[in-house]
Amino acid sequence: MALRTTITERQRRLGSELRKLREQAGLTVSDSAASIGMGRVHLTHVEAGRTAISTERLHGLCASYGCTSSTYVDALVCLSEAKGKGWWSPYKGKLPTAALDLAEMEASSEDLRSYESLFIPGLFQTEDYTRSVFQASDTVATTEGVDTSVRFRMQRQALLTREDSPKVHAVIHEAALHVRFGGTNVMRRQLLHLVELADLPNVTIQVLPFTAKAVSALNTPFCLLTSHSGALETVQLDHPEQSLYLHAPDAVARYRRQFERLRTNALPPVNARATPVSHDSRDSLGLIQYVLYTL
């Protein structure tokens, strides 16, 4: 039984879900493994994401754990049978594993909700803005590395306009509109690009103003991804060294509530088709236009 040397977030998630089901059922690793004709050590490796499990045995485990949700079981089967290959595959060995994990998760997502405090979200960045962000970062040390990272981020954005594109709802703190990555001209094009993207039917963009009550710009940026018909939810948190993924129900619920607070306190979404006359109150488009005027 060959063990994986690199474990992806998808593989780690499958193992975590199976371990959670087993613990909820009150079964030991030995008893669970015996129920499907598998060795205890083998199942331990499966739960750690270090090795695969057949679809037949996966169904057997779910049955022994008393899992009756067909949607959830189907989601686990998808995690197990996925090959992990996609447009991001050529970047293996060139970019951190966390970047590839995020691309794979986005590819299967149906709903993305994110909050950013000091940056424009990566899915909304222009090429020049992205380049300036990486050039100012300590995480990419070479020109070739910057070029690769920029190209990768631009390819990620294809999911916004694909045939089965997910719903994307982003809350961006006003501070991110003022941090001038790349200078004035780059920021002007970036803000205009935000307005253009907001016209997509699956994209919602709101700005959280400095004046928002009981909300701080220091809130941790995060992305809440929902996939497999809502059966799986993951919170992704960026970190300079390694991204953090949370999927415990209480953690997901906490960030879901946090996003609702941010969304509620943010200005109404950008609506590029609204006429100036209809702007009788503050909204996200008006604030973006104001920042553009002051650049």
Side-chain angles (χ1 to χ4, degrees), residues 104-286:
E104 184 177 4
M105 291 175 64
E106 288 176 338
S108 62
S109 66
E110 298 149 2
D111 187 280
L112 289 88
R113 285 163 283 178
S114 70
Y115 168 70
E116 282 288 351
S117 56
L118 296 175
F119 297 92
I120 301 301
L123 290 176
F124 299 161
Q125 293 176 6
T126 65
E127 183 172 342
D128 289 338
Y129 180 96
T130 298
R131 185 172 300 280
S132 67
V133 168
F134 282 117
Q135 288 174 337
S137 169
D138 293 331
T139 60
V140 185
T142 66
T143 300
E144 182 181 2
V146 170
D147 290 341
T148 301
S149 297
V150 171
R151 187 164 59 252
F152 179 81
R153 184 161 293 180
M154 293 301 102
Q155 285 188 257
R156 275 180 57 206
Q157 297 176 4
L159 79 94
L160 294 176
T161 54
R162 72 188 189 193
E163 186 175 347
D164 58 340
S165 57
K167 294 181 180 179
V168 180
H169 190 160
V171 176
I172 307 170
H173 198 282
E174 183 182 348
L177 308 184
H178 293 275
V179 182
R180 300 189 183 186
F181 285 105
T184 300
N185 289 335
V186 170
M187 281 305 302
R188 287 187 63 84
R189 288 193 293 272
Q190 176 61 76
L191 295 181
L192 289 171
H193 186 55
L194 277 183
V195 177
E196 294 171 355
L197 288 175
D199 203 34
L200 293 174
N202 58 309
V203 174
T204 301
I205 299 174
Q206 291 181 264
V207 177
L208 185 71
F210 286 122
T211 55
K213 296 181 180 179
V215 178
S216 169
L218 299 179
N219 279 323
T220 303
F222 65 90
C223 182
L224 176 59
L225 303 97
T226 303
S227 63
H228 302 87
S229 300
L232 299 177
E233 290 183 289
T234 302
V235 176
Q236 184 259 345
L237 303 169
D238 270 332
H239 188 276
E241 296 299 326
Q242 183 177 3
S243 291
L244 176 64
Y245 295 94
L246 307 175
H247 40 75
D250 57 341
V252 171
R254 184 167 63 254
Y255 278 94
R256 197 188 302 119
R257 290 192 301 269
Q258 184 173 342
F259 183 82
E260 283 303 303
R261 285 196 297 270
L262 291 165
R263 179 191 64 78
T264 301
N265 284 279
L267 296 173
V270 174
N271 181 4
R273 301 184 183 185
T275 61
V277 176
S278 67
H279 289 182
D280 58 351
S281 60
R282 297 184 68 195
D283 61 11
S284 295
L285 177 59

Side-chain angles (χ1 to χ4, degrees), residues 2-8 11-12 49-51 97:
L3 300 181
R4 296 168 176 139
T5 55
T6 300
I7 303 173
T8 68
Q11 294 162 345
R12 191 176 293 109
R50 291 190 288 264
T51 193
T97 302

